Amino acid sequence: MSKVTAVQFAAFLLCCHYYTTVLCLSEVTRKEFPTDFVFGAGTSAIQYEGAWADDGKTPSIWDTSMHEGLFGEDTADIACDGYHKYKEDIKLMRDSGLEAYRFSISWPRLLPNGRGPVNPKGLEYYNNVIDELIKHGIQPHVTLHHLDIPQVLQDEYGGWLSPKFIDDFKELADVCFREFGDRVSSWTTLNEPNINSLSSFDYGFFPPHRCSSPFGDNCTAGNSAVEPYIAAHNMILAHSAAVELYREKYQDVQKGKIGVNIYSIWFTPLTNSIEDANATKRALDFILGWILNPLVFGDYPEIMKKNAGSKIPSFTDSQSQQVKGSYDFIGLNYYYSLYVAHDSSIPKTSPRDFTSDMFAKFTDFVDNPTGHRIIPPIRPKYDYDSLCKLLNHLKNAYSNPPIYIHENGFGVEFVDAMNDVARVSSLSGFIRSVREAIRDGSDVRGYFVWSFVDVYEWISGFTLRYGLYHVDFEGNGRERTPKLSAHWYHNFLKNGSAADIQNVGLRRANAHSS
Ligand SMILES: *[C@@H]1O[C@H](CO)[C@@H](O)[C@H](O)[C@H]1NC(C)=O
Ligand SMILES: *[C@@H]1O[C@H](CO)[C@@H](O)[C@H](O)[C@H]1NC(C)=O
């Protein structure tokens, strides 16, 4: 075979593969979504920007942990070098047809002392990013705080554990609304307060690494039984304080929307037993209801108050009123579903942590009998419908809040090939699931792929890749290369359908052969 024929043959095989993995499953087009629905992709400050100590930025607690070598050799000192390469990336976004971009503000870049004087260089950077996005017709969806709390605030009062966090966060929010709010119409206060609290204060694998035995390992201080509840409580109050500020001082003029982001999982009972059904309900109340019940109803779920007892702080009447209704939308980070079983092995007496207060155990081994931890959705039969089920649950149990899917994606623990067929299957499967939920009456307003480019993935460093664009983290230029998923998403956004993936494959093959 000549070179050209060989490439065409490869493209043909690729298309056959799509045909079986994508086409038979789904046919989903951009046109089926409302015109004001937005499709985008996201990153977050510390995972993307690099320039960790440039132009007046001070360390966040993540910088500190990374430099202590707690996550191996990878650090986010340079990361994607987005601080210097944002213009180039926004051009790629435009070329990809992205309608919106979700990113976060680095608190220690904007307010190096945690409060007080604004860093002019930090201000300039975010102004430039926002202006550049708008110039290219891409909506900025901005998260005020995505895990990287300034080390100075950690040192001063223990960060999220102290109610002082609430006032400082409100000040950060005020600076952002004042400086950027004329151009930003979608604000998210906090990223994943639920998972942040658990990872940092129950299991201790996220900074500031607080936990207690037997619930977490290797922490020098902490109390896993109590601190996650306190941290989340302060985060909820900080969120609602920022929303109140936005509504009183800015929203009338700036006309934006504000919400919070929550990590969510969909749960399915492991067996048909009543015990497992009850455990599944508890799991939803603990993981999702922990944050969402206060926002929608003004208090924690009854089962959490019952099982956690005095460990979970109470809202005063005025706090409850401030928290209730403090959202214009809910952002969801969704990756996978788990099976849930009742856990009778947990002692009924203390100390119990959040997980044991739930009396439930999770498993993802049902479709994966080898017992290896899987990065969903590598499951053989991946459950895309679970996202639709979760959205239906939100519609039915929480009065159908406006929803943005803030993160959904596919991670692989190796430098994945440019022909990321599995990622394409996953994205199209979940996008179809969102379409089904909208048909069922869910008020979903947008969908963001995690992540736009490969980024620093927290404790997984650069080994876990989610990007539509590959980043060469070994090279000084941090070169970006579109993966097949980037071509697929572009094609989808340009009102193509999954079926057009064949053309994408052929176009790529032709481009390579010419
Ligand atoms: C705790 O430290 C030990 C010894 O260094 C290590 O093997 C283990 O993986 C650590 N556990 C966690 C959760 O980091
Ligand atoms: C399941 O939950 C219901 C409602 O909360 C409760 O009445 C029932 O006793 C529970 N059953 C079991 C077996 O846990």
Side-chain angles (χ1 to χ4, degrees), residues 38 102 139-144 184-190 239 243 246-247 251 255-262 291-292 295-296 325-333 394 398 400-406 443-446 448:
V38 289
R102 172 176 179 255
Q139 289 178 21
H141 285 234
V142 181
T143 302
L144 293 171
V184 172
S185 57
S186 180
W187 292 106
T188 300
T189 53
L190 297 167
H239 155 80
V243 172
Y246 186 64
R247 286 180 171 170
Q251 197 166 32
K255 309 244 181 282
K257 303 280 187 217
I258 188 163
V260 75
N261 169 280
I262 305 176
I291 310 299
L292 201 48
L295 265 58
V296 176
S326 62
Y327 62 93
D328 299 321
F329 65 84
I330 301 297
L332 287 185
N333 292 357
L394 290 166
Y398 295 99
N400 205 12
I403 302 282
Y404 286 86
I405 309 296
H406 268 163
D443 189 6
V444 191
R445 308 273 178 99
F448 292 78

Side-chain angles (χ1 to χ4, degrees), residues 28 68 109 124 159 197-198 258 270 315 359 441-442 478 483:
V28 60
E68 283 169 4
R109 192 182 297 290
E124 185 186 331
S197 300
L198 293 175
I258 188 163
L270 186 61
F315 294 106
F359 289 97
S442 270
R478 296 293 191 276
K483 302 178 193 176

Side-chain angles (χ1 to χ4, degrees), residues 54-340:
D54 286 23
D55 293 341
K57 180 183 169 291
T58 59
S60 73
I61 57 175
W62 275 88
D63 292 305
T64 307
S65 288
M66 289 186 288
H67 294 153
E68 283 169 4
L70 293 181
F71 308 121
E73 288 182 2
D74 289 342
T75 70
D77 290 1
I78 303 175
C80 309
D81 201 20
Y83 189 68
H84 299 109
K85 293 174 79 80
Y86 69 92
K87 274 196 179 171
E88 187 182 313
D89 283 340
I90 292 170
K91 230 175 245 119
L92 293 178
M93 290 175 205
R94 184 204 54 197
D95 294 348
S96 310
L98 251 59
E99 298 155 7
Y101 173 51
R102 172 176 179 255
F103 65 97
S104 74
I105 304 283
S106 160
W107 187 339
R109 192 182 297 290
L110 193 62
L111 297 174
N113 304 327
R115 67 175 82 86
V118 176
N119 175 13
K121 285 293 196 181
L123 203 57
E124 185 186 331
Y125 172 68
Y126 293 110
N127 271 323
N128 287 344
V129 171
I130 292 165
D131 288 344
E132 194 72 12
L133 287 166
I134 287 175
K135 193 169 107 191
H136 289 96
I138 299 164
Q139 289 178 21
H141 285 234
V142 181
T143 302
L144 293 171
H145 175 50
H146 195 126
L147 300 185
D148 50 351
I149 198 168
Q151 182 66 46
V152 285
L153 299 185
Q154 185 62 39
D155 295 343
E156 185 184 320
Y157 55 70
W160 296 297
L161 282 182
S162 166
K164 289 183 181 162
F165 164 72
I166 300 164
D167 285 338
D168 285 337
F169 179 71
K170 198 172 153 185
E171 183 174 329
L172 169 75
D174 201 9
V175 171
C176 292
F177 300 150
R178 186 183 72 220
E179 299 292 340
F180 312 128
D182 56 334
R183 288 153 294 154
V184 172
S185 57
S186 180
W187 292 106
T188 300
T189 53
L190 297 167
N191 183 71
E192 300 182 4
N194 49 351
I195 297 305
N196 189 2
S197 300
L198 293 175
S199 308
S200 298
F201 300 103
D202 192 344
Y203 319 128
F205 52 75
F206 274 14
H209 308 287
R210 292 180 62 86
C211 64
S212 57
S213 181
F215 307 112
D217 292 325
N218 304 342
C219 297
T220 51
N223 183 341
S224 296
V226 180
E227 289 185 0
Y229 292 116
I230 295 171
H233 194 74
N234 290 332
M235 290 182 205
I236 292 166
L237 293 175
H239 155 80
S240 66
V243 172
E244 189 177 80
L245 173 75
Y246 186 64
R247 286 180 171 170
E248 283 175 359
K249 204 167 151 189
Y250 296 100
Q251 197 166 32
D252 280 351
V253 177
Q254 297 183 347
K255 309 244 181 282
K257 303 280 187 217
I258 188 163
V260 75
N261 169 280
I262 305 176
Y263 185 89
S264 54
I265 302 171
W266 180 246
F267 298 109
T268 307
L270 186 61
T271 71
N272 291 330
S273 71
I274 301 277
E275 284 82 358
D276 286 359
N278 282 2
T280 303
K281 168 88 174 67
R282 281 197 302 279
L284 273 171
D285 277 345
F286 269 75
I287 299 292
L288 195 62
W290 190 12
I291 310 299
L292 201 48
N293 278 48
L295 265 58
V296 176
F297 306 116
D299 200 3
Y300 294 114
E302 285 306 319
I303 189 73
M304 288 192 81
K305 294 197 289 181
K306 177 164 172 269
N307 290 10
S310 61
K311 297 185 298 172
I312 191 163
S314 305
F315 294 106
T316 64
D317 285 348
S318 70
Q319 285 172 341
S320 170
Q321 276 172 25
Q322 188 195 52
V323 169
K324 187 175 172 180
S326 62
Y327 62 93
D328 299 321
F329 65 84
I330 301 297
L332 287 185
N333 292 357
Y334 188 78
Y335 291 90
Y336 56 92
S337 67
L338 292 172
Y339 294 94
V340 183

Side-chain angles (χ1 to χ4, degrees), residues 381-495:
K381 290 176 288 172
Y382 193 68
D383 181 17
Y384 299 123
D385 290 344
S386 61
L387 178 51
C388 181
K389 290 175 188 161
L390 171 67
L391 291 167
N392 271 304
H393 172 69
L394 290 166
K395 181 186 73 180
N396 297 330
Y398 295 99
S399 315
N400 205 12
I403 302 282
Y404 286 86
I405 309 296
H406 268 163
E407 290 183 17
N408 176 241
F410 181 90
V412 250
E413 259 179 350
F414 47 83
V415 182
D416 65 329
M418 296 300 172
N419 282 327
D420 54 344
V421 177
R423 180 170 288 109
V424 170
S425 299
S426 169
L427 295 177
S428 67
F430 279 122
I431 289 174
R432 186 191 50 172
S433 193
V434 173
R435 183 197 62 190
E436 293 310 310
I438 293 172
R439 284 182 180 168
D440 288 350
S442 270
D443 189 6
V444 191
R445 308 273 178 99
Y447 174 94
F448 292 78
V449 174
W450 184 266
S451 45
F452 178 60
V453 288
D454 289 335
V455 296
Y456 178 82
E457 279 297 338
W458 312 111
I459 56 178
S460 306
F462 297 113
T463 55
L464 191 57
R465 306 281 186 130
Y466 283 86
L468 296 169
Y469 282 78
H470 177 271
V471 175
D472 175 16
F473 290 111
E474 311 285 307
N476 288 334
R478 296 293 191 276
E479 193 192 343
R480 279 76 159 135
T481 312
K483 302 178 193 176
L484 183 68
S485 55
H487 293 289
W488 177 83
Y489 201 42
H490 172 251
N491 194 60
F492 168 77
L493 292 174
K494 290 295 164 201
N495 272 328

